[in-house]
Amino acid sequence: MWETYGLKNEDLLWASIAFQGGIAGQRQAVCGAISSGAVCLGLRHRCSLKETEKAKQARQDIRRKAGELVKSFAKEYGNIICRELMGIDASDPEKFRQFRESGMFEKKCHNFVRFVVEKLYELDEK
């Protein structure tokens, strides 16, 4: 996702790595794709806080776009919580290993990331 906006700094990738599996694999949080998308929106539309009015508008735009991202994701997939989306409680390392080996990780999670990236592009066109 960090490449979506041409933010080719690996620090940005590492900053969102804990979002995998909700947060740190606990599965009780918002899908990591959505969380990472919200971070990307903030980075994409950031500006100097010294520019008070511009920063105020940027914050409003980021919040609005993040809200649209969440709503559209929930509409598409019926939920935004990782555990519900995955269909398993993968806080158990063995269950998560089985889930990954089954190919469902790629099938589900990659679709979630793809959806978020496409939505980020769409939001930027507005």
Side-chain angles (χ1 to χ4, degrees):
M1 232 179 277
W2 58 290
E3 292 174 328
T4 300
Y5 287 133
L7 303 169
K8 298 188 188 292
N9 181 336
E10 286 187 5
D11 292 343
L12 303 175
L13 172 65
W14 287 104
S16 296
I17 205 73
F19 293 144
Q20 185 180 29
I23 294 179
Q26 295 303 304
R27 314 276 183 266
Q28 298 175 25
V30 171
C31 171
I34 298 170
S35 298
S36 295
V39 169
C40 283
L41 284 168
L43 291 168
R44 173 74 168 140
H45 299 287
R46 71 190 182 279
C47 66
S48 171
L49 294 175
K50 293 177 184 177
E51 299 177 59
T52 309
E53 286 305 311
K54 187 176 179 183
K56 181 180 177 182
Q57 184 62 51
R59 283 192 297 272
Q60 291 172 354
D61 291 345
I62 293 163
R63 288 179 52 85
R64 179 183 52 75
K65 289 179 179 191
E68 287 182 44
L69 172 63
V70 171
K71 287 177 189 174
S72 64
F73 190 97
K75 183 178 179 181
E76 180 73 17
Y77 295 106
N79 210 309
I80 63 168
I81 303 300
C82 183
R83 178 183 296 186
E84 302 301 320
L85 293 164
M86 303 278 272
I88 62 166
D89 178 1
S91 60
D92 176 337
E94 180 60 22
K95 287 181 183 176
F96 186 61
R97 184 189 63 75
Q98 291 171 356
F99 180 76
R100 287 187 74 101
E101 288 177 1
S102 73
M104 291 304 292
F105 179 81
E106 286 79 13
K107 182 178 180 184
K108 288 187 173 194
C109 296
H110 288 190
N111 284 335
F112 300 151
V113 170
R114 185 177 304 111
F115 179 89
V116 169
V117 168
E118 289 172 0
K119 188 66 178 179
L120 291 175
Y121 281 124
E122 179 185 316
L123 290 168
D124 271 350
E125 292 176 3
K126 289 184 176 184

